[in-house]
């Protein structure tokens, strides 16, 4: 599927500012390597993947620890794609990963990789941070990259993904499309990234109201789960039955339930991950993507080239780096709506829209 004008412009920006980054198309899901024989230090529900083939001399040893499934079509899958991009670039030939690792098991998983001599370990959710900083202190030769973290140390770098931008764009689109004047947002686990996404959704609706003189009302609910598809579905149904004719999820695996609710009830859906339109084939309007793979591409290449340094402050990856973008429309919509969405994306890329990070 071709990407919208906003994505094209974002990628042009990335090409000029990150000329060293080649890589594959992170929007497509790579097939996971076969499970090997390493033991998993995490809970029984976790899976360890050792890849196939032997590492060549001089190759970096790179791993990632996932809080969910790598095929969730959203947060975890884009990061898995980023890990595979590093393999395609030749930075590592045999990347390893564990998926469905709980917060309390994250430290043991990180310690396992570090003790095995891994050079670079990605921590894919901010809820791992408090458990893994002490591990980093014990293994100074391993670099840890914390996605959506706040902590910085000599061998621990956090990068922040602009979750609020994804929510903002979803809110803008929802407010521009609604016919009832009521739109709904369903979040998952109530952690800061989802809270920011929810706040961004409200601010996106407010932006449309203020800019175009509308009076759209946003209803936002966090279910408290990234995995309970039925709960997310029932929550979305309740919003639709209350008059919301547009719904948008930000709940990782559970987002599927929101899309299914829209399909069953005939409401418009704004997805948050590639492939979610399969759950709402007749009602998906568009998908606002948060492609975390780009953070892997940048940090992985910099590490391999010996230029990855601890920044003075945590760097944000959003529309400015092509992380947040909008797909082509799945259905015919008014050209004016498309134009307004493209204008919002350009303003986000250029830093012309300020989104509050207050929760």
């Amino acid at each position: 599927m071709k990407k919208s004008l906003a994505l094209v412009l974002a990628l042009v920006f990335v090409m000029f500012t990150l000329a060293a980054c080649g890589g594959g198309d992170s929007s497509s899901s790579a097939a996971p390597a076969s499970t090997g024989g390493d033991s998993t230090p995490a809970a029984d529900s976790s899976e360890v993947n050792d890849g196939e083939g032997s590492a060549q001399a001089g190759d970096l040893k790179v791993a990632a620890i996932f809080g969910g499934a790598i095929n969730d079509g959203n947060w975890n899958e884009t990061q898995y794609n980023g890990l595979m991009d590093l393999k395609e670039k030749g930075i590592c030939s045999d990347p390893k990963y564990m998926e469905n690792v709980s917060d309390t098991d994250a430290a043991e998983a990180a310690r396992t990789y570090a003790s095995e001599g891994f050079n670079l370990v990605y921590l894919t959710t901010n809820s791992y941070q408090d458990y893994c900083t002490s591990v980093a202190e014990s293994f100074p030769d391993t670099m840890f990259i914390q996605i959506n973290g706040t902590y910085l140390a000599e061998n621990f770098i956090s990068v922040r993904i602009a979750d609020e931008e994804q929510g903002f764009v979803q809110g803008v689109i929802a407010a521009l499309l609604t016919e009832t004047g009521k739109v709904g947002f369903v979040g998952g686990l109530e952690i800061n990234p989802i809270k920011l996404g929810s706040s961004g959704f409200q601010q996106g609706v407010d932006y449309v109201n203020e800019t175009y003189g509308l009076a759209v009302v946003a209803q936002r609910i966090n279910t408290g789960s990234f995995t309970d598809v039925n709960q997310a579905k029932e929550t979305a149904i309740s919003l639709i039955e209350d008059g919301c004719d547009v719904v948008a999820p930000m709940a990782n695996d559970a987002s599927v339930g929101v899309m299914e609710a829209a399909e069953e009830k005939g409401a418009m859906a704004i997805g948050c991950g590639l492939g979610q339109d399969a759950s709402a084939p007749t009602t998906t309007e568009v998908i606002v993507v948060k492609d975390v793979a780009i953070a892997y591409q940048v940090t992985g290449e910099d590490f391999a080239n010996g230029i990855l340094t601890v920044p003075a402050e945590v760097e944000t990856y959003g529309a400015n780096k092509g992380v947040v973008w909008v797909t082509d429309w799945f259905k015919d919509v008014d050209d004016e709506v498309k134009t307004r969405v493209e204008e919002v994306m350009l303003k986000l890329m250029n830093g012309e829209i300020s989104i509050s990070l207050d929760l």
Side-chain angles (χ1 to χ4, degrees), residues 195-335:
K195 291 179 180 179
L196 286 170
S198 176
S199 174
F201 184 86
Q202 180 67 63
Q203 293 179 66
V205 172
D206 292 343
Y207 175 88
V208 170
N209 287 340
E210 295 167 4
T211 304
Y212 303 110
L214 302 180
V216 178
V217 175
Q219 298 186 36
R220 300 172 290 140
I221 301 176
N222 289 332
T223 66
S225 173
F226 284 145
T227 58
D228 195 332
V229 174
N230 288 331
Q231 182 185 19
K233 184 174 181 177
E234 291 303 316
T235 301
I237 288 175
S238 69
L239 289 173
I240 295 168
E241 291 180 345
D242 194 38
C244 295
D245 62 342
V246 187
V247 291
M250 192 180 291
N252 289 10
D253 303 53
S255 296
V256 170
V258 179
M259 305 299 286
E260 291 176 347
E263 182 71 13
E264 290 183 14
K265 293 293 184 177
M268 291 176 277
I270 303 170
C272 61
L274 292 173
Q276 289 179 352
D277 55 293
S279 298
T282 67
T283 61
T284 300
E285 298 288 336
V286 72
I287 293 173
V288 182
V289 181
K290 187 168 53 188
D291 192 355
V292 193
I294 292 174
Y296 282 62
Q297 294 166 8
V298 176
T299 56
E301 279 213 347
D302 283 354
F303 184 82
N305 293 327
I307 59 174
L308 182 66
T309 58
V310 181
E313 59 184 25
V314 175
E315 188 174 7
T316 297
Y317 287 65
N320 62 329
K321 293 183 178 294
V323 169
V324 176
W325 53 274
V326 179
T327 66
D328 281 345
W329 296 83
F330 290 87
K331 298 166 63 178
D332 290 334
V333 299
D334 191 282
D335 286 340

Side-chain angles (χ1 to χ4, degrees), residues 160-173 193 196-201 203-204 250 288-290 316-326 344-345 347-357:
R160 198 182 79 80
I161 306 301
D163 302 278
E164 70 281 357
E165 288 188 8
Q166 184 183 39
F168 184 90
V169 178
Q170 286 179 308
V172 165
I173 296 172
L196 286 170
S198 176
S199 174
F201 184 86
Q203 293 179 66
M250 192 180 291
V288 182
V289 181
K290 187 168 53 188
T316 297
Y317 287 65
N320 62 329
K321 293 183 178 294
V323 169
V324 176
W325 53 274
V326 179
V344 165
M345 289 303 302
K347 288 180 179 180
L348 284 174
M349 290 165 55
N350 295 329
E352 298 175 22
I353 292 178
S354 177
I355 304 174
S356 172
L357 301 182

Side-chain angles (χ1 to χ4, degrees), residues 49-315:
N49 186 299
D50 291 324
E52 291 183 356
S54 57
Q56 301 297 312
D59 277 352
L60 293 176
K61 297 181 69 175
V62 183
I65 303 169
F66 295 95
I70 61 167
N71 61 350
D72 64 356
N74 195 352
W75 178 255
N76 292 293
E77 186 167 335
T78 62
Q79 294 193 69
Y80 171 78
N81 291 338
L83 184 65
M84 293 301 106
D85 284 344
L86 300 184
K87 178 179 179 179
E88 291 181 10
K89 292 178 179 181
I91 291 173
C92 58
S93 64
D94 190 22
K96 307 289 195 300
Y97 65 86
M98 301 179 196
E99 58 183 321
N100 298 312
V101 178
S102 69
D103 296 347
T104 53
D105 288 325
E108 190 175 354
R111 188 176 293 108
T112 295
Y113 282 134
S115 64
E116 291 177 355
F118 276 76
N119 309 102
L120 184 61
V121 176
Y122 286 91
L123 307 172
T124 64
T125 171
N126 74 316
S127 58
Y128 286 167
Q129 178 174 286
D130 292 343
Y131 296 94
C132 294
T133 50
S134 61
V135 177
E137 293 173 359
S138 300
F139 294 92
D141 293 333
T142 298
M143 174 62 75
F144 293 86
I145 305 293
Q146 174 68 67
I147 303 298
N148 263 349
T150 58
Y151 182 73
L152 296 171
E154 187 174 350
N155 67 322
F156 196 105
I157 295 177
S158 291
V159 298
R160 198 182 79 80
I161 306 301
D163 302 278
E164 70 281 357
E165 288 188 8
Q166 184 183 39
F168 184 90
V169 178
Q170 286 179 308
V172 165
I173 296 172
L176 290 172
L177 291 177
T178 182
E179 297 177 356
T180 65
K182 297 177 72 173
V183 298
F185 173 94
V186 179
L189 193 63
E190 203 162 348
I191 57 177
N192 281 352
I194 302 304
K195 291 179 180 179
L196 286 170
S198 176
S199 174
F201 184 86
Q202 180 67 63
Q203 293 179 66
V205 172
D206 292 343
Y207 175 88
V208 170
N209 287 340
E210 295 167 4
T211 304
Y212 303 110
L214 302 180
V216 178
V217 175
Q219 298 186 36
R220 300 172 290 140
I221 301 176
N222 289 332
T223 66
S225 173
F226 284 145
T227 58
D228 195 332
V229 174
N230 288 331
Q231 182 185 19
K233 184 174 181 177
E234 291 303 316
T235 301
I237 288 175
S238 69
L239 289 173
I240 295 168
E241 291 180 345
D242 194 38
C244 295
D245 62 342
V246 187
V247 291
M250 192 180 291
N252 289 10
D253 303 53
S255 296
V256 170
V258 179
M259 305 299 286
E260 291 176 347
E263 182 71 13
E264 290 183 14
K265 293 293 184 177
M268 291 176 277
I270 303 170
C272 61
L274 292 173
Q276 289 179 352
D277 55 293
S279 298
T282 67
T283 61
T284 300
E285 298 288 336
V286 72
I287 293 173
V288 182
V289 181
K290 187 168 53 188
D291 192 355
V292 193
I294 292 174
Y296 282 62
Q297 294 166 8
V298 176
T299 56
E301 279 213 347
D302 283 354
F303 184 82
N305 293 327
I307 59 174
L308 182 66
T309 58
V310 181
E313 59 184 25
V314 175
E315 188 174 7

